[in-house]
């Protein structure tokens, strides 16, 4: 006898209406998106997160020293990837845009990818 199965779509896949299996080839969650169990469509990773792999059920936190801004998309795509934190700023883990954390008053930085405010240099009087 044939065993019948039913239930939610598998994590890392999405299941639009009418699917007969939970992990249909071709319906893997794409880059820049995540698909928790039971997804009917891919969900775009939010500001401060990214996903550089397919078939994933969660997004990754943007690493310290980088920002993940959905307004700064990959070429011809609808998602982002980590970009180096600009000079004059630092980027904590999960930073959402390039100017989110400026170096504090009285400090500066002419280098990129800072990970905390203490890496900004104090301004000196001449």
């Amino acid at each position: 006898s044939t065993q019948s199965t039913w239930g939610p779509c598998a994590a890392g896949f999405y299941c639009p209406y009418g699917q007969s299996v939970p992990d249909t080839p071709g319906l893997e969650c794409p880059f820049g998106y995540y698909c928790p169990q039971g997804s009917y469509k891919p969900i775009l990773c939010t500001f401060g997160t990214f996903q550089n792999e397919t078939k994933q059920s969660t997004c990754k936190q943007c690493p310290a020293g980088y920002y993940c801004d959905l307004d700064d998309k990959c070429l011809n795509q609808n998602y982002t990837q980590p970009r180096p934190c600009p000079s004059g700023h630092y980027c904590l883990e999960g930073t959402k845009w390039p100017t989110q954390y400026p170096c504090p008053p009285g400090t500066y930085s002419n280098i990129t990818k800072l990970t905390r405010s203490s890496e900004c240099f104090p301004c000196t009087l001449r």
Side-chain angles (χ1 to χ4, degrees):
S1 77
T2 304
Q3 181 180 357
S4 63
T5 59
W6 58 274
C9 192
F13 290 81
Y14 64 99
C15 298
Y17 293 110
Q19 299 306 304
S20 58
V21 295
D23 53 359
T24 303
L27 294 179
E28 296 91 354
C29 210
F31 291 109
Y33 295 80
Y34 68 105
C35 298
Q37 183 180 26
S39 296
Y40 68 93
K41 68 177 184 176
I43 304 165
L44 184 64
C45 291
T46 60
F47 287 87
T49 68
F50 74 105
Q51 185 49 263
N52 59 349
E53 299 177 79
T54 61
K55 296 197 287 190
Q56 300 302 305
S57 60
T58 61
C59 295
K60 299 174 182 179
Q61 280 280 97
C62 204
Y66 295 82
Y67 67 94
C68 294
D69 185 350
L70 284 179
D71 292 334
D72 188 4
K73 296 178 176 67
C74 295
L75 185 63
N76 299 319
Q77 301 295 326
N78 193 36
Y79 58 85
T80 190
Q81 64 185 18
R83 310 275 191 202
C85 199
S87 58
H89 298 81
Y90 62 98
C91 294
L92 304 172
E93 184 178 42
T95 296
K96 298 175 182 178
W97 56 86
T99 58
Q100 185 173 356
Y101 299 107
C103 283
T107 66
Y108 75 99
S109 176
N110 58 359
I111 58 175
T112 61
K113 298 191 235 177
L114 298 186
T115 60
R116 56 187 171 275
S117 62
S118 62
E119 293 177 321
C120 297
F121 303 109
C123 296
T124 55
L125 297 174
R126 294 184 186 253

